[in-house]
């Protein structure tokens, strides 16, 4: 039963995809702008739908932190609508001529950017992802199948209904944007096997969700979001800068993927550094440290190996004292998730070595890892932050959810 | 036992990868050129190892066509060495600055091309793939794990041994190039789950092999090679050109992925077209046709739906008469494998419509699909032809087996 349900969504998306693929930028932008307007106009109705989700969540004993992520307020709804405006303002990647040449035999070869086709997104609670992701896929010329969490189903139904109605009013097939309303595990699992219809699957959410998708998907996947990020404080570092960066990267928003989870401190400056860190934090952040860290600062407990691979997403981090930039690089390449990594140093040589050898999407010298974000890096709105090496790395904006094809024109050329 | 064996290869590759990632172009080229020289010098020894494989294959009752694919001759060995020379001549993609900007807050953001890391390749009989693939991965700065077929194991062992010894003589870790010597199914299956160590897996071979990899792999995969390619002859086509292109695309080398498997003929010119095709082929190519085709030309049998999805790789093709370019496009998007598709037409409008709407890596107007090949399109040597939309589409040369990262440098910037 649910296989048929999902296959039907897949078929609908595949049929709708060519009709949005060839659309003019202005037409897509008009529809998106109208979605933003109607979201603002329907604030009350959105909050009503969201209230049902919140009441159900309370009944189900959801934690207040999770309920907060689920909640749509007037302010959050207006930010959601603004987000669409930002997508409208981005240049349309579709149709860009990436290269062109004429071969000696007269064949003209153009490489042009084209839409991905059908994009599937599996995500968890936050209903604003529904609107962000749909807007990005729509602008990038792809049909999207959204599979949000059951917690947000009423909010998502309302928002997707509003978007479908709006794009239909502008002459687009409403199946350019579809919601998987059956939020059973089966439908998520079946989406992962729908490679006949889905060209790209993006999981957004917990490490557990992402691993399940990698394990089960036959659809090409882009991994996003798991961030076990480090700051390495080199022996030549400006220690005030190091504390300032670490404080920002850990405490400004501890629950996000570009927050740091671990610090590596060069042994030569460790004592001075921890004295300064303690002045800044006064125990505000729990430190799970190796033996040498524990000799210099109060630790919550001694670190076990598992700690170095843990994304705490909380006011807690692991700490290790190292004897060289090489040891720091090895540690990061062993335990990191290839997201965002930072060295604080005054040595150009160590900075270059670190940027070259650390295997991550974004490698920083003397700046907070919190900048790994589409808007912060000037790429515009993003659909996620890729932590794999295939197709896209780091923040994924519009270009990163497109593909290309070769258009080859001749006058009868055959191969000799 | 074999899990440990494969994990060990993975660990070795992961350790070797950073040492080749940062290598100078000249150093990589010197080692590759020396491999080419030694392959030529060892022609006799290579043939001796290959002879054992051929004898075993005969004992196992392998078909002569397959034995031909397995066989290395003096000529083929010299072509193999020349192939390495062509890889040497290609520009090194690594380190290319893809973009650079300085943000208002002073952060400098560079996007640079970097190696993939560890590439796994699972392939079948032909031992020349062993050398081609190793040379491309080496030049692109990645360590490679080669898992060829059991049929070619003696040839592969000799060739990989020669390459490992040569790169070691030039100061590279020999584990930049590794062969899976245990060619049981288990080792292939375990390679597909080795996402801790392998960044990209490329299957090269039959549709069955490729589907098994897609079904089982947790390592990101690029699908290659399955080519159910079509030529559509539009009503305005130059029919002599159409026959010439179809003849080339079907008969010049029927066993390859960019050969066509199906023709779609506009009803208005079908009678004239088939008369000309018959003059050219005189029954040399078996036609599996729909009812309307069978009214105009001798067919081997009537086509069933399964025929339209079949890659014959032989002197046989399916044929269908259609009433419009739209019907042709729908048919191709339903049954094609997104490889190479062609329209023969004199209508600019239909050419543009076909190139826009057909969902394939290479879409041709008035030229043979046989040009979908790295060398023919001027991209250089290729590691395969991608039929998926993620990461790379069409011929995959050096750039297509690399990734990128962001290098971000500041002077203490934190996020507000």
């Amino acid at each position: 039963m649910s296989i048929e349900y999902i296959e039907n969504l897949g078929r609908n998306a595949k049929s709708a995809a060519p009709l949005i693929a060839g659309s003019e930028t202005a037409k897509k932008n008009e529809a998106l702008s109208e979605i933003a307007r109607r979201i603002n106009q329907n604030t009350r109705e959105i909050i009503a739908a969201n209230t049902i989700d919140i009441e159900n969540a309370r009944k189900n004993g959801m934690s207040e932190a999770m309920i907060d992520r689920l909640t749509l307020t007037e302010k959050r709804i207006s930010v959601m609508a603004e987000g669409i405006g930002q997508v409208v303002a981005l240049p349309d990647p579709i149709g860009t001529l990436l290269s062109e040449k004429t071969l000696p035999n007269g064949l003209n070869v153009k490489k042009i950017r084209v839409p991905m086709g059908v994009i599937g997104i599996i995500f968890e609670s936050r209903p604003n992802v529904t609107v962000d992701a749909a807007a990005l896929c729509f602008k990038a010329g792809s049909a999207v199948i959204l599979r949000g969490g059951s917690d947000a189903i009423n909010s998502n139904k309302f928002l997707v209904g509003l978007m479908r109605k709006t794009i239909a009013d502008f002459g687009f097939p409403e199946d350019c944007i579809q919601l998987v309303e059956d939020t059973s595990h089966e439908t998520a699992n079946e989406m992962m096997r729908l490679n006949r219809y889905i060209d790209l699957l993006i999981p957004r959410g917990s490490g557990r969700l992402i691993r399940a998708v990698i394990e089960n998907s036959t659809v090409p996947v882009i991994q996003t979001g798991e961030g076990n990020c480090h700051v390495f404080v080199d022996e030549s570092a400006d220690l005030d800068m190091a504390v300032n960066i670490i404080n920002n990267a850990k405490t400004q928003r501890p629950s996000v993927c570009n927050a740091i989870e671990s610090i590596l401190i060069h042994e030569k400056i460790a004592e001075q550094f921890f004295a300064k860190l303690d002045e800044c934090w006064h125990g505000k952040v729990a430190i799970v440290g190796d033996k040498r860290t524990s000799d210099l600062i109060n630790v919550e407990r001694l670190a076990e190996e598992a700690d170095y691979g843990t994304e705490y997403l909380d006011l807690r981090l692991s700490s290790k004292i190292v004897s060289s930039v090489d040891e720091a690089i090895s540690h990061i390449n062993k335990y990191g998730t290839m997201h965002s990594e930072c060295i604080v140093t005054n040595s150009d040589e160590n900075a270059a070595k670190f940027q070259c050898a650390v295997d991550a999407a974004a490698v920083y010298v003397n700046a907070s890892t919190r900048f790994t974000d589409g808007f912060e890096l000037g790429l515009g709105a993003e659909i996620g932050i890729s932590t794999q090496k295939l197709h896209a790395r780091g923040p994924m904006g519009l270009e990163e959810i497109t593909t290309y094809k070769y258009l080859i024109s001749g006058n009868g050329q055959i191969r000799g």
Side-chain angles (χ1 to χ4, degrees), chain A:
Chain A
M1 150 83 195
S2 58
I3 289 191
E4 275 168 42
Y5 170 70
I6 286 288
E7 278 194 342
N8 198 36
L9 296 186
R11 234 182 332 262
N12 294 345
K14 186 102 179 168
S15 302
L19 299 165
I20 180 169
S23 282
E24 283 168 32
T25 306
K27 218 182 132 197
K28 292 187 286 188
N29 282 342
E30 280 167 21
L32 286 171
S33 299
E34 181 62 20
I35 289 173
R37 263 190 297 277
R38 292 190 192 175
I39 283 177
N40 278 326
Q41 282 164 0
N42 285 273
T43 300
R44 205 185 317 172
E45 290 79 0
I46 295 169
I47 289 180
N50 185 245
T51 302
I52 304 175
D53 288 330
I54 295 169
E55 284 167 4
N56 289 338
R58 284 241 157 72
K59 274 184 220 153
N60 297 332
M62 186 184 274
S63 74
E64 284 304 313
M66 288 297 288
I67 286 176
D68 179 60
R69 288 167 69 89
L70 178 61
T71 302
L72 291 173
T73 58
E74 258 184 63
K75 168 78 183 153
R76 286 180 180 178
I77 290 167
S78 118
V79 168
M80 197 190 274
E82 271 169 39
I84 297 178
Q86 288 158 346
V87 174
V88 169
L90 291 172
D92 188 340
I94 301 306
T96 307
L97 184 64
L98 300 172
S99 69
E100 179 171 12
K101 61 186 149 194
T102 301
L103 302 178
N105 63 6
L107 278 182
N108 175 269
V109 183
K110 288 195 182 79
K111 183 178 177 182
I112 63 158
R113 197 179 288 290
V114 299
M116 190 60 75
V118 178
I119 299 175
I121 303 182
I122 301 183
F123 56 105
E124 293 176 337
S125 283
R126 290 189 303 144
N128 56 324
V129 172
T130 311
V131 172
D132 290 354
L136 282 163
C137 292
F138 188 83
K139 176 92 180 218
S142 282
V144 66
I145 302 177
L146 300 156
R147 200 281 192 188
S150 53
D151 306 327
I153 188 67
N154 292 289
S155 315
N156 287 342
K157 274 187 188 170
F158 187 90
L159 290 166
V160 171
L162 180 153
M163 292 191 283
R164 283 167 64 89
K165 172 75 172 63
T166 310
I167 61 174
D169 289 347
F170 283 78
F172 293 96
E174 54 183 11
D175 288 339
C176 290
I177 303 174
Q178 292 183 99
L179 179 70
V180 181
E181 297 194 1
D182 172 353
T183 56
S184 61
H185 279 294
E186 286 70 34
T187 57
N189 287 333
E190 282 147 17
M191 250 178 104
M192 300 177 203
R193 320 286 296 177
L194 214 61
N195 47 345
R196 274 173 62 204
Y197 299 118
I198 302 181
D199 296 292
L200 166 62
L201 192 61
I202 305 174
R204 285 187 55 166
S206 67
R208 200 173 43 79
L209 166 69
I210 291 160
R211 279 186 297 271
V213 172
I214 290 163
E215 195 63 33
N216 296 311
S217 185
T218 59
V219 179
V221 170
I222 295 188
Q223 294 182 51
T224 64
E226 261 193 295
N228 183 16
C229 307
H230 301 73
V231 171
F232 165 56
V233 184
D234 194 16
E235 59 181 311
S236 68
D238 173 331
L239 298 185
D240 292 314
M241 184 195 286
V243 168
N244 198 30
I245 286 173
I246 288 170
N247 181 48
N248 182 256
K250 179 73 250 184
T251 69
Q252 195 234 5
R253 215 172 148 201
S255 67
V256 294
C257 60
N258 58 17
I260 59 166
E261 305 295 350
S262 198
I263 53 175
L264 302 171
I265 312 300
H266 196 288
E267 60 188 9
K268 290 213 182 125
I269 48 75
E271 189 170 350
Q272 280 172 278
F273 166 79
F274 279 113
K276 283 178 186 281
L277 187 69
D278 204 32
E279 264 174 54
C280 174
W281 280 349
H282 296 297
K284 168 178 150 191
V285 174
I287 296 177
V288 178
D290 67 342
K291 176 70 178 66
R292 293 174 77 187
T293 299
S294 76
D295 292 340
L296 298 171
I297 195 168
N298 284 331
V299 298
E300 187 181 41
R301 59 181 169 77
L302 284 178
E304 291 166 23
E305 203 196 342
D307 285 297
Y308 296 123
T310 298
E311 207 185 350
Y312 298 110
L313 299 170
D314 201 353
L315 288 176
R316 174 175 292 107
L317 52 64
S318 63
S319 166
K320 190 179 182 194
I321 293 180
V322 296
S323 56
S324 66
V325 63
D326 293 303
E327 189 184 345
I329 291 167
S330 297
H331 180 97
I332 290 168
N333 286 343
K334 182 167 181 191
Y335 296 104
T337 52
M338 306 200 289
H339 192 299
S340 301
E341 304 294 350
C342 168
I343 182 174
V344 184
T345 187
N346 276 314
S347 156
D348 289 344
E349 192 188 332
N350 286 354
K353 187 182 222 185
F354 188 88
Q355 285 196 316
C356 175
V358 166
D359 192 10
V363 190
Y364 291 83
V365 175
N366 296 336
S368 170
T369 57
R370 289 278 295 114
F371 289 107
T372 304
D373 170 292
F375 281 115
E376 294 294 331
L377 294 185
L379 306 171
E382 73 186 28
I383 205 156
I385 294 173
S386 164
T387 56
Q388 73 179 46
K389 295 185 185 175
L390 216 65
H391 192 77
R393 242 183 149 175
M396 294 177 63
L398 287 176
E399 279 189 7
E400 287 75 19
I401 52 171
T402 66
T403 182
Y404 59 83
K405 68 179 171 186
Y406 290 100
L407 305 184
I408 303 159
S409 304
N411 47 18
Q413 282 86 344
I414 60 170
R415 187 154 166 191

